[in-house]
Amino acid sequence: MPRLRRSADVVWEGNVARGEGHISAGTGAFTGLPYSLATRIVAPAEATSPEELLAAAHASCFGMSLATELASGGTPPERVDVTCTVTMDEVQGRGHLIVDSTLQVTARVPGIDGDSFQQVVEQADEGCSMSALIRASATISVNARLEGGDDGD
Amino acid sequence: MATDRRAEATWQGDLMSGSGTIESVGSGAFGPLDVTWASRAEEPQGRTSPEELIAAAHAACFSMAFSNVLAQAGHPPEHLATTATVTFEPGTGITRSAIDVEGSVPGIDEEAFRAAAEDAKDNCPVSGALKGNVELSVTARLRNA
């Protein structure tokens, strides 16, 4: 697998307080998503933000990582459901920082027991490139449970 | 004051033959968006990916921070066009996020513009999240009449 590059474009107009930007994916998967300081910090008002985009990245990255680890162990998932919440906070003397990413995971995995599943979840967190990315500066929490399934609890 | 932002994604099957969806995000601004391993690692075929979403987050964060640095220096921007490119190296992970920005900023010279871009690149919150592990760079061009 060769190195990969992905890009996104933003157009911003104005100063921070009253300005506005639009976010577009290089692939065209999403285009012209509006955002502003007010929608980032105060209330989303149907506008995305950098933290929301990071949450989408982490949720999708972790889902793939978990599927990979489960399949390597001979128990590929029927379904993995990941909700990621990214928190930004104002840190004394350092301004706004992304401080936490919390993952809630529910998975339907035939043929795995609860303990093995939790071990695989840990491996998935260690192997997830997005977890590795932000671990140096933010906390990451993963809460995972099995749902239904042949041998699930 | 802390802000929380949320997204939900699902995945079915193994990595190579399976597929996933970014189902929804808290704001409702986008989703559902399909993701696959092939479109992440090979030809995108119009699908987003974690790396593209990180690029979008970084470009958006940088642009907002840059407009703030410029405004605080007394030169609020008229227009900034930013591209962020995220690089993933197999076996290592995400290694780079490179920002390219072109701006219309009345009253500023090229040197001050570039210095402001470096400041924003070093200090925006997403750079702060990436900094420990990822090489960050910015190229900045002033396009004033």
Side-chain angles (χ1 to χ4, degrees):
Chain A
M1 178 194 147
R3 159 197 300 175
L4 71 91
R5 289 204 170 95
R6 293 292 184 265
S7 299
D9 304 304
V10 167
V11 173
W12 180 274
E13 275 155 342
N15 67 8
V16 158
R18 288 180 299 280
E20 185 182 56
H22 291 84
I23 307 164
S24 300
T27 61
F30 49 89
T31 55
L33 300 179
Y35 77 113
S36 68
L37 182 67
T39 61
R40 182 178 190 180
I41 305 276
V42 180
E46 297 174 4
T48 193
S49 73
E51 289 64 50
E52 188 171 83
L53 290 158
L54 289 181
H58 204 180
S60 58
C61 190
F62 192 86
M64 283 191 208
S65 183
L66 183 56
T68 303
E69 297 297 334
L70 287 166
S72 302
T75 55
E78 279 181 5
R79 182 183 160 102
V80 171
D81 200 306
V82 182
T83 297
C84 176
T85 303
V86 169
T87 303
M88 180 170 70
D89 204 355
E90 196 158 6
V91 175
Q92 188 86 334
R94 298 179 61 200
H96 282 95
L97 294 177
I98 288 149
V99 295
D100 184 74
S101 184
T102 293
L103 300 162
Q104 299 281 357
V105 181
T106 306
R108 184 185 295 270
V109 189
I112 202 171
D113 63 79
D115 286 345
S116 304
F117 176 67
Q118 293 299 334
Q119 280 188 311
V120 175
V121 166
E122 268 187 48
Q123 286 162 354
D125 188 28
E126 281 158 30
C128 171
S129 46
M130 176 99 184
S131 294
L133 196 60
I134 63 174
R135 185 165 277 125
S137 54
T139 53
I140 298 170
S141 307
V142 184
N143 306 301
R145 65 180 189 89
L146 278 175
E147 160 221 314
D150 295 339
D151 287 349
D153 52 14
Chain B
M1 185 185 115
T3 63
D4 282 348
R5 293 291 182 261
R6 181 183 54 77
E8 184 189 348
T10 57
W11 185 271
Q12 293 165 293
D14 65 28
L15 187 69
M16 298 299 173
S17 61
S19 64
T21 307
I22 294 159
E23 301 282 355
S24 67
V25 296
S27 71
F30 60 91
L33 294 172
D34 289 337
V35 293
T36 66
W37 176 248
S39 57
R40 179 178 186 182
E42 299 158 22
E43 287 308 307
Q45 300 187 308
R47 296 191 190 97
T48 195
S49 68
E51 286 69 34
E52 186 173 73
L53 291 159
I54 294 166
H58 202 191
C61 188
F62 169 85
S63 301
M64 184 179 277
F66 192 25
S67 79
N68 191 41
V69 172
L70 289 165
Q72 296 212 327
H75 302 289
E78 279 178 357
H79 185 98
L80 301 172
T82 303
T83 300
T85 301
V86 167
T87 302
F88 177 97
E89 304 266 6
T92 308
I94 293 161
T95 56
R96 285 198 74 186
S97 184
I99 291 189
D100 182 87
V101 62
E102 187 174 280
S104 299
V105 186
I108 203 172
D109 63 56
E110 187 95 31
E111 195 183 324
F113 180 74
R114 291 205 181 114
E118 286 288 335
D119 183 347
K121 179 265 290 178
D122 286 338
N123 295 304
C124 81
V126 172
S127 286
L130 301 179
K131 210 179 270 191
N133 292 297
V134 166
E135 184 191 325
L136 303 179
S137 64
V138 62
T139 54
R141 283 179 307 288
L142 185 59
R143 195 193 59 200
N144 280 351

